[in-house]
Amino acid sequence: HRTNSQNKKNPPRHYRTCHDPSKMSSTSAALPPTSEGDDSVVIHPPGTELGGSGGDDDNIIDTMDISFEQHQDNDEDGGIEFGGIEITELDYCATEYNNAVLLSSGEELGYEDFVNQCIIDEHLASDRNDYTTHHHVGSSIAMTELERHIENAFKDNEVSRRYFLLDLQSWGRAGIRGIVGRSVSGAVTGDEFADETETSALLLLTKIMIRLTKDDRKALLKYNKCLLEMLEPYFVPGTPLPAVPSSEALLRKMVMGSRTALFDQLPREIVYGGDLGGVDDKHATISINDLINHEMAIGKDYTWIVGEDCVRNRNGIYGTPAAARTLDRLKSRVLENGGDVNKTVFGLIVPWSDGFVSNWVRQKDNNVWIKTVTICPPANGKKGNKNSTDSHVVVMGLSKHSHSNVVSATVDEIAMIEKGVTRLSYQGGTPRLLMTSFGILAFVSDRPERSSLNSTLGCTGNTSKRALYAAPFDKIWVPSCRRCLADRVRRTLFGETSSFVHNKCRQCCDWDYSSETEAWKNVWPPGSDFPDQTIDDNVLLSVGLNWPSHRRVPVGSYIKPMKQSFAWMISGVQIALLAYATGTWSSLKMVKAYLLSFAISSKHVIEYAEKYAKELKKEVRAITDDTGRYSYLRSVLDAKNLVECGVLPHLWIKESIDMSMFLEEPMHGIFLGVVGTTYEVMEQFMAKESNRATFERHVNQFLFDIRDFKLSFCAIREFPKAQWISENFVAVARLNRFIYGHYFSAMTVKDKTAVDAAMRMITSLDVMISQLMYKSDDDDEIDPDSTRDIVKIFLSCCIEWATHLSKSGNCDFMEKANFFSLLNLVDQVLQYGSLRMWWGGSFEADIGKVKAELKYLRKTQSFLATKLAATRKQFYYNDISARWFGENKSNAAKQYAFDCYRAASAGDVVSRFNAGDVISVFRLKSQPRVWYSAFGRDRDILKVVRFVLPEISGAVEVLGTFYHKFNLDRHYYQPKRTEIDSSIAEFGLMLPIPDADGTVDGVGYYSIITDKWRSLDVEGNTSLPKLPLSLFHSIIPPENFDLSLVGQQIAVLFPFIDNKTKESGLDWYNGQVANYHESTGEHLIIWEEGDTDLLHLSLEDYGILHREKGWKLIKN
């Protein structure tokens, strides 16, 4: 029951602690009287005494006093039954301190719990058809409190407030019927409801109209007008015609383009920018807090990390160590704010941002930047399609502007949300009040965007080749030397361990960016501009600063590598400003050189730091006494002050953010970056060999078939590369060994020495990607140490391959892409879960939601605000419409995707097998050595052909891929589709064995790659691929072989002459080792006769060196 009283009270404690006090005032619209007369039953809010005056004015209406007279009029005792306990007037004396109801039994009941229990009692009563006075009292209490919450949560949003208040009467139905009723009558306010048919009709018409062009809308309006004129004679005189827009005026009134239109009365967040002032004058934004309020009130089904049942979700993303740390932080924030973690639900937020070209025809200044947030992402990662509803654009601006302020504002708002906010939730269809806390789990973006957000150098910077590290790259010293590489290969192939301590190797850094690695002294000597004058320790103490780790000046003979952190970089900027302001460093060049050793962005930080240093030096000189000077420096060098002065980025001082939360995402890093670049360098090599076109024609005969299969896990396109997207590079990565196996088997290669190097690079790339992307159904994860070794072996193979691309061994192709950041991926997988859950394309799909609105881009903030508002209207229209027509349930019931091509007939499958063509197959969980290929078009019956792998299948290895002799089962099977779907273990492709002349050597020899990044091993089982011994054993030296032979006399024996064994004696050649080439593993030897040769001495124990057009290795 409701009241129209307008007296005002103090707000409950919840509203003051969980919302911005300056924005949380609430007004209540007059509510209609009940059908039972003027008697009102209202509940007193926490924080006020029963019947008290309430104190200060805070725009909270006095509708919360319980009138016990209504019970007494019905001969009752003035109590309210609540969960089996009767609450009387004296019992209910909630205090401001604990935000709770204290029952006479001594039990303390939370305020939100009280309201939610009223709702539960109402539903229980409804289930048993109990419509007693108690049920009505409980219902009115809950209704009043829910209305009160909506009035407060949406106080500044008239459209949303009106919708959600009406929707309380019938969730998902009343709100939209009210909108349609007002649209038809041309009103902004009112309680007129449209009937079901009229609501459905206008919803469908709106869907059509918002998709049509202006001319098509006019045509449809003319059609409506003609239709009404034709139907008019059939209506009973005096009966109004249906409300159908037949003119542009009626279209604006009913559908879109005015305050009364359906599309414009849909609930949505307030968009700031333009007429409504935003964070700055460049971006259009919406509040994330407002976004969550709307989503929960409209019934969004969130995946909580801890839900209402207090059960910890450990599935997928939610079971990672990073999620556990985020949850711990949220709980501590809730406790600090006086909340109860056992009565709070916790959710995760994943921001993403990037720029894009809005129009390819007009590209100049048409780059748009958006920021999205994914609220409570699915456990297995965000879904990447244009219709996904789990992420939202919250910021929109032009790419050319700085985004620092809006990113900072977003982080600040989420920090407030972490403390706990009570929200109306319709999850599951039942309204209730939930205390919620949301926090950031991770940031997702590509490398350029990530560098821009963090204000660090990009991958083209000299000291930032590897993301998250300040360190240069040197192709001689940073890669593994022959000894370290051989030790790693031996460990990978045979599982052997070594007592050799890698970071103590003096010959290389072994891809180790630890500051303890001795060989770094050869990599990063301080330049001529690097400062060597130190700051007095007493000065540092006086201003409260310390030297950053491994950046104390003088640094000595070399600068150590260091993993970046915001605190570390802040300290570096503070030290540089102090040194220049006090005159310790005489030149701004020293400031710049010092800050570049932190891999800090010149554009976003260093330029501002240099300008600030100049002004600071003038100010310091004007202060004569040391005490005053140091006191002034302490204040101006404070991190918050440097942020306010524009020297430091806002993001650097955020407590809840650290750089490790900015993730490497595999789409750009691995596939568009590393795989794409590897493909390009192989193209260069094939062009150099003059066989590229021939090879492409040869391999395309297989790729055309795979393309026509239209498999989601292998969406290949034909060679050469043209307009490829990320999924095409994923397919190339899956097929790498098969594709290039054909190249090295069928093509003639002039540079024989390059063949092994290329094959090692291709196979190690395949093994690395398979281990990084693999995730089994039973969560049997990869071994992190083994995967780290594979990553480093692949990088070493790329260095070896570079020596065959150019005489200088230039590694430019590695430095331009994301090769070195591969070293970060294993630790990221351990902390944040499988890379597949962080697929960048899933986030980039959100660009499609706004791109259509930006076809004719204008550069004003008001334009961006209008377009952002349009996307929010579209989102809520889709949600409300889907719920109205019951489309959400049907979408959730979609069948398991059958990712296998169906041939037209069994004969087609058999002919493909006999011809050695590619075949699409799948395997059942219970039959590891049987593969099925489907045919026919029947949806319910799956007709299949079986391929059986015998126990002894005669495996043949080509480029690390094992091809087996399969048997074709001539009996065909027709299992039921429903029985098959739940039993499928994996889908795959049967790939025919390549032969020297490009044909199949024997019918039935196939290998299989699967959608889970596995392939057939030597025994015929599916497993992750491994490094082939046949390609890598040659780089393993004897265990105790000493490569530090420079300057020593050696003797090399040769038992062969012209490839024939000598009949008597052995020839010994004496010489001296003049030099050792780390990049190739070769020693320069000067023989006694004065001749010189480059020899692989480390390969001695696998063969003997002999002279034939230079020195070569002959197997024993």
Side-chain angles (χ1 to χ4, degrees):
H1 303 280
R2 308 167 189 175
T3 182
N4 294 324
S5 173
Q6 295 297 317
N7 296 329
K8 300 175 180 179
K9 294 283 189 180
N10 278 330
R13 178 172 179 268
H14 159 73
Y15 294 105
R16 294 204 305 274
T17 57
C18 297
H19 296 272
D20 184 348
S22 65
K23 300 179 180 179
M24 289 296 110
S25 60
S26 175
T27 57
S28 177
L31 302 173
T34 66
S35 59
E36 300 180 17
D38 295 333
D39 293 300
S40 62
V41 178
V42 290
I43 187 170
H44 188 68
T48 59
E49 295 296 332
L50 188 63
S53 62
D56 297 334
D57 182 350
D58 200 22
N59 293 330
I60 303 295
I61 62 171
D62 183 12
T63 60
M64 307 306 294
D65 295 319
I66 297 181
S67 174
F68 292 89
E69 289 78 19
Q70 187 172 33
H71 293 277
Q72 293 162 355
D73 289 344
N74 295 324
D75 296 326
E76 298 182 15
D77 58 2
I80 302 175
E81 185 177 353
F82 178 72
I85 303 174
E86 188 176 42
I87 304 175
T88 66
E89 179 177 3
L90 296 177
D91 291 326
Y92 189 74
C93 52
T95 66
E96 182 177 357
Y97 299 100
N98 58 17
N99 195 18
V101 179
L102 184 63
L103 303 181
S104 57
S105 62
E107 180 183 355
E108 195 176 80
L109 195 65
Y111 180 58
E112 290 80 13
D113 293 337
F114 180 84
V115 177
N116 293 339
Q117 187 61 51
C118 289
I119 298 171
I120 294 172
D121 290 345
E122 175 187 353
H123 282 271
L124 291 175
S126 299
D127 291 340
R128 64 175 182 265
N129 295 320
D130 180 9
Y131 296 102
T132 62
T133 305
H134 289 306
H135 169 71
H136 284 288
V137 171
S139 175
S140 66
I141 292 174
M143 181 66 75
T144 301
E145 284 307 289
L146 293 176
E147 289 173 344
R148 175 186 175 85
H149 177 84
I150 291 172
E151 291 283 354
N152 185 77
F154 302 99
K155 65 184 184 306
D156 296 326
N157 192 332
E158 179 185 357
V159 172
S160 297
R161 183 174 70 248
R162 186 187 305 119
Y163 174 87
F164 289 121
L165 284 173
L166 283 178
D167 218 39
L168 284 176
Q169 300 181 27
S170 178
W171 174 65
R173 315 297 289 181
I176 187 60
R177 287 179 58 198
I179 289 178
V180 174
R182 292 192 300 273
S183 298
V184 171
S185 62
V188 176
T189 60
D191 294 331
E192 185 174 346
F193 289 92
D195 61 30
E196 299 272 331
T197 303
E198 192 172 36
T199 302
S200 297
L202 197 57
L203 277 172
L204 292 172
L205 182 63
T206 301
K207 180 179 182 178
I208 295 171
M209 286 296 185
I210 60 181
R211 295 183 178 185
L212 294 180
T213 64
K214 187 175 182 180
D215 290 339
D216 289 339
R217 287 174 190 163
K218 290 181 179 180
L220 183 57
L221 290 174
K222 290 180 180 179
Y223 170 79
N224 289 345
K225 184 177 181 180
C226 294
L227 182 62
L228 289 174
E229 290 175 353
M230 289 188 294
L231 294 176
E232 188 172 3
Y234 298 95
F235 285 97
V236 177
T239 302
L241 295 177
V244 177
S246 56
S247 66
E248 291 191 39
L250 286 175
L251 178 68
R252 286 191 298 271
K253 168 191 168 184
M254 297 174 56
V255 180
M256 56 192 300
S258 71
R259 292 184 62 203
T260 63
L262 182 151
F263 198 61
D264 294 272
Q265 291 199 63
L266 293 172
R268 74 273 185 183
E269 304 83 4
I270 296 174
V271 178
Y272 297 95
D275 295 335
L276 290 177
V279 177
D280 57 21
D281 59 353
K282 306 295 183 184
H283 296 82
T285 62
I286 65 173
S287 163
I288 297 176
N289 184 63
D290 198 13
L291 166 64
I292 298 174
N293 276 339
H294 278 77
E295 280 216 295
M296 291 187 65
I298 212 165
K300 175 69 175 180
D301 189 13
Y302 279 157
T303 302
W304 305 106
I305 187 170
V306 175
E308 294 179 69
D309 54 4
C310 296
V311 175
R312 171 77 158 83
N313 182 0
R314 300 185 184 277
N315 297 324
I317 292 173
Y318 297 92
T320 61
R325 290 195 302 272
T326 304
L327 179 60
D328 290 341
R329 185 180 76 245
L330 295 180
K331 287 183 176 181
S332 65
R333 295 298 297 275
V334 170
L335 290 172
E336 290 170 4
N337 199 48
D340 186 345
V341 295
N342 295 319
K343 296 181 179 179
T344 303
V345 294
F346 297 93
L348 303 179
I349 297 176
V350 178
W352 171 89
S353 61
D354 203 1
F356 61 94
V357 178
S358 63
N359 193 325
W360 287 103
V361 179
R362 305 175 181 88
Q363 293 190 29
K364 185 178 180 181
D365 292 334
N366 275 356
N367 284 357
V368 176
W369 180 86
I370 61 171
K371 184 176 186 65
T372 71
V373 291
T374 303
I375 312 294
C376 296
N380 291 323
K382 181 184 180 317
K383 306 306 177 186
N385 61 73
K386 63 181 181 180
N387 298 319
S388 65
T389 60
D390 47 24
S391 61
H392 310 271
V393 179
V394 295
V395 184
M396 187 186 298
L398 299 180
S399 295
K400 64 182 180 180
H401 296 144
S402 172
H403 315 301
S404 176
N405 288 341
V406 288
V407 172
S408 174
T410 299
V411 174
D412 287 341
E413 184 181 18
I414 295 175
M416 292 298 296
I417 294 172
E418 289 181 351
K419 298 178 180 179
V421 179
T422 298
R423 306 181 193 276
L424 168 65
S425 171
Y426 259 112
Q427 187 168 342
T430 303
R432 57 203 178 279
L433 297 180
L434 292 182
M435 176 63 75
T436 65
S437 175
F438 295 83
I440 296 176
L441 171 64
F443 292 83
V444 180
S445 57
D446 58 21
R447 177 67 190 275
E449 177 70 12
R450 192 163 64 248
S451 299
S452 176
L453 293 174
N454 289 331
S455 299
T456 57
L457 292 175
C459 61
T460 57
N462 291 331
T463 58
S464 57
K465 301 298 183 185
R466 178 181 177 182
L468 299 180
Y469 281 83
F473 173 73
D474 182 279
K475 67 181 181 181
I476 301 299
W477 291 101
V478 174
S480 304
C481 64
R482 296 286 293 186
R483 177 177 182 176
C484 293
L485 174 60
D487 186 67
R488 180 167 289 109
V489 170
R490 184 186 295 112
R491 183 166 61 246
T492 303
L493 290 177
F494 310 118
E496 297 179 7
T497 59
S498 172
S499 59
F500 180 61
V501 181
H502 288 279
N503 63 12
K504 298 300 182 183
C505 179
R506 298 180 180 180
Q507 301 295 326
C508 72
C509 299
D510 195 28
W511 299 109
D512 188 350
Y513 281 67
S514 167
S515 57
E516 303 305 318
T517 303
E518 291 189 10
W520 273 103
K521 65 181 64 175
N522 303 298
V523 178
W524 200 357
S528 58
D529 292 330
F530 199 87
D532 56 3
Q533 297 86 12
T534 190
I535 304 174
D536 188 272
D537 289 341
N538 292 326
V539 175
L540 290 174
L541 182 63
S542 300
V543 298
L545 298 179
N546 293 298
W547 285 102
S549 298
H550 304 301
R551 291 299 182 271
R552 185 185 182 96
V553 176
V555 294
S557 60
Y558 72 103
I559 305 173
K560 293 184 177 182
M562 184 68 185
K563 188 172 183 178
Q564 293 173 305
S565 69
F566 290 141
W568 183 67
M569 294 189 296
I570 289 173
S571 181
V573 174
Q574 291 171 325
I575 287 291
L577 293 175
L578 174 64
Y580 186 78
T582 57
T584 305
W585 297 350
S586 58
S587 170
L588 287 175
K589 291 182 179 180
M590 295 180 178
V591 173
K592 183 175 182 178
Y594 183 73
L595 293 181
L596 284 175
S597 72
F598 291 79
I600 293 174
S601 170
S602 298
K603 178 180 179 181
H604 297 114
V605 179
I606 297 180
E607 291 180 5
Y608 295 102
E610 289 177 326
K611 294 177 182 178
Y612 190 75
K614 288 182 181 179
E615 299 300 322
L616 183 59
K617 190 170 186 177
K618 295 177 183 178
E619 297 292 336
V620 171
R621 283 179 176 177
I623 304 175
T624 56
D625 64 296
D626 290 344
T627 302
R629 183 185 303 115
Y630 296 147
S631 176
Y632 175 73
L633 285 169
R634 179 188 286 267
S635 63
V636 298
L637 293 178
D638 178 73
K640 292 183 179 179
N641 179 70
L642 292 177
V643 170
E644 293 175 1
C645 295
V647 178
L648 297 181
H650 291 78
L651 210 59
W652 286 15
I653 63 170
K654 304 303 179 184
E655 295 180 359
S656 59
I657 303 300
D658 63 73
M659 289 188 68
S660 64
M661 297 171 67
F662 291 81
L663 303 187
E664 305 274 353
E665 55 93 359
M667 187 185 81
H668 288 94
I670 296 179
F671 296 101
L672 293 176
V674 173
V675 174
T677 303
T678 305
Y679 170 85
E680 291 172 1
V681 297
M682 285 301 298
E683 271 191 329
Q684 296 172 19
F685 177 75
M686 288 186 285
K688 178 182 174 182
E689 293 288 329
S690 303
N691 55 19
R692 173 181 163 184
T694 305
F695 164 71
E696 289 172 349
R697 286 193 299 271
H698 168 73
V699 78
N700 277 344
Q701 62 180 319
F702 303 106
L703 301 188
F704 285 143
D705 284 345
I706 300 174
R707 178 199 63 188
D708 293 341
F709 290 164
K710 297 182 179 179
L711 306 175
S712 65
F713 73 90
C714 196
I716 192 68
R717 296 184 71 171
E718 67 275 10
F719 285 0
K721 180 182 68 174
Q723 297 181 341
W724 283 15
I725 58 177
S726 58
E727 64 179 10
N728 306 133
F729 286 104
V730 173
V732 167
R734 292 183 184 274
L735 297 168
N736 249 338
R737 288 183 295 164
F738 171 71
I739 291 172
Y740 293 109
H742 276 271
Y743 175 76
F744 292 116
S745 297
M747 301 294 110
T748 301
V749 180
K750 301 172 187 175
D751 187 358
K752 301 296 184 181
T753 60
V755 172
D756 283 352
M759 291 195 294
R760 280 193 284 267
M761 180 181 69
I762 295 299
T763 54
S764 60
L765 173 64
D766 186 64
V767 173
M768 177 190 71
I769 292 178
S770 298
Q771 293 207 19
L772 288 172
M773 297 297 292
Y774 170 73
K775 181 175 173 60
S776 67
D777 295 333
D778 54 2
D779 291 330
D780 181 20
E781 299 296 345
I782 58 171
D783 174 47
D785 292 332
S786 172
T787 307
R788 286 191 186 94
D789 281 340
I790 293 295
V791 171
K792 293 181 178 181
I793 289 172
F794 166 68
L795 293 175
S796 295
C797 290
C798 290
I799 296 294
E800 179 190 17
W801 171 246
T803 62
H804 297 282
L805 290 181
S806 63
K807 294 181 179 179
S808 63
N810 198 314
C811 301
D812 284 352
F813 77 92
M814 295 180 66
E815 298 183 35
K816 293 178 181 178
N818 296 290
F819 283 77
F820 306 120
S821 294
L822 293 171
L823 296 165
N824 298 334
L825 293 182
V826 175
D827 290 333
Q828 179 178 309
V829 170
L830 293 177
Q831 294 300 314
Y832 289 91
S834 171
L835 294 178
R836 299 192 300 177
M837 298 189 293
W838 302 105
W839 186 254
S842 302
F843 296 90
E844 287 191 357
D846 294 326
I847 293 176
K849 298 177 182 178
V850 299
K851 196 169 185 178
E853 297 286 341
L854 302 172
K855 185 175 181 181
Y856 303 103
L857 179 65
R858 299 174 187 173
K859 311 299 191 300
T860 62
Q861 185 188 32
S862 59
F863 173 85
L864 296 174
T866 300
K867 296 306 179 182
L868 181 56
T871 64
R872 302 311 300 157
K873 293 177 188 177
Q874 182 68 65
F875 171 80
Y876 287 109
Y877 169 82
N878 293 340
D879 189 282
I880 292 170
S881 178
R883 187 172 290 108
W884 177 267
F885 292 108
E887 295 172 358
N888 288 344
K889 294 181 180 180
S890 62
N891 288 338
K894 285 186 177 179
Q895 284 189 331
Y896 171 66
F898 187 70
D899 209 3
C900 183
Y901 172 75
R902 286 191 177 195
S905 65
D908 290 343
V909 178
V910 173
S911 63
R912 296 188 70 83
F913 179 75
N914 291 333
D917 293 332
V918 179
I919 303 173
S920 177
V921 293
F922 65 90
R923 180 179 67 81
L924 302 182
K925 298 175 183 177
S926 59
Q927 301 175 354
R929 300 182 71 83
V930 178
W931 293 83
Y932 296 87
S933 184
F935 65 92
R937 297 292 185 263
D938 195 314
R939 294 190 60 181
D940 298 325
I941 301 297
L942 196 65
K943 301 177 182 179
V944 295
V945 175
R946 296 202 322 167
F947 300 101
V948 181
L949 190 62
E951 291 298 326
I952 301 176
S953 55
V956 177
E957 181 186 354
V958 179
L959 197 58
T961 301
F962 293 100
Y963 294 84
H964 294 260
K965 177 73 172 179
F966 279 83
N967 294 330
L968 172 64
D969 186 347
R970 296 291 178 176
H971 296 88
Y972 306 140
Y973 300 87
Q974 296 186 13
K976 290 185 178 180
R977 174 71 182 272
T978 53
E979 297 174 355
I980 287 290
D981 283 350
S982 60
S983 303
I984 292 178
E986 52 193 341
F987 297 98
L989 282 170
M990 289 180 61
L991 305 172
I993 186 172
D995 195 58
D997 58 359
T999 62
V1000 177
D1001 185 14
V1003 175
Y1005 273 91
Y1006 280 88
S1007 183
I1008 294 178
I1009 63 165
T1010 76
D1011 61 333
K1012 295 184 177 180
W1013 295 95
R1014 300 193 289 193
S1015 60
L1016 295 185
D1017 58 20
V1018 68
E1019 296 178 353
N1021 301 314
T1022 57
S1023 62
L1024 290 176
K1026 299 178 181 179
L1027 295 180
L1029 179 63
S1030 58
L1031 287 176
F1032 283 87
H1033 84 280
S1034 60
I1035 66 173
I1036 306 175
E1039 288 191 35
N1040 299 318
F1041 190 79
D1042 187 4
L1043 294 178
S1044 56
L1045 299 174
V1046 176
Q1048 297 186 25
Q1049 297 288 333
I1050 63 169
V1052 182
L1053 68 86
F1054 303 95
F1056 301 101
I1057 296 178
D1058 296 328
N1059 291 330
K1060 295 180 180 179
T1061 305
K1062 292 184 64 173
E1063 295 181 359
S1064 61
L1066 296 173
D1067 286 347
W1068 289 85
Y1069 289 80
N1070 297 323
Q1072 183 180 30
V1073 180
N1075 199 358
Y1076 174 62
H1077 296 270
E1078 291 282 353
S1079 59
T1080 62
E1082 296 172 315
H1083 288 79
L1084 175 63
I1085 302 178
I1086 303 176
W1087 303 109
E1088 288 182 340
E1089 296 84 358
D1091 296 333
T1092 61
D1093 280 302
L1094 285 171
L1095 302 182
H1096 277 283
L1097 294 181
S1098 61
L1099 305 180
E1100 268 188 324
D1101 92 329
Y1102 294 101
I1104 304 299
L1105 297 170
H1106 84 124
R1107 191 164 196 159
E1108 180 188 11
K1109 298 180 182 178
W1111 295 93
K1112 293 186 178 180
L1113 178 67
I1114 297 297
K1115 301 293 181 185
N1116 283 329

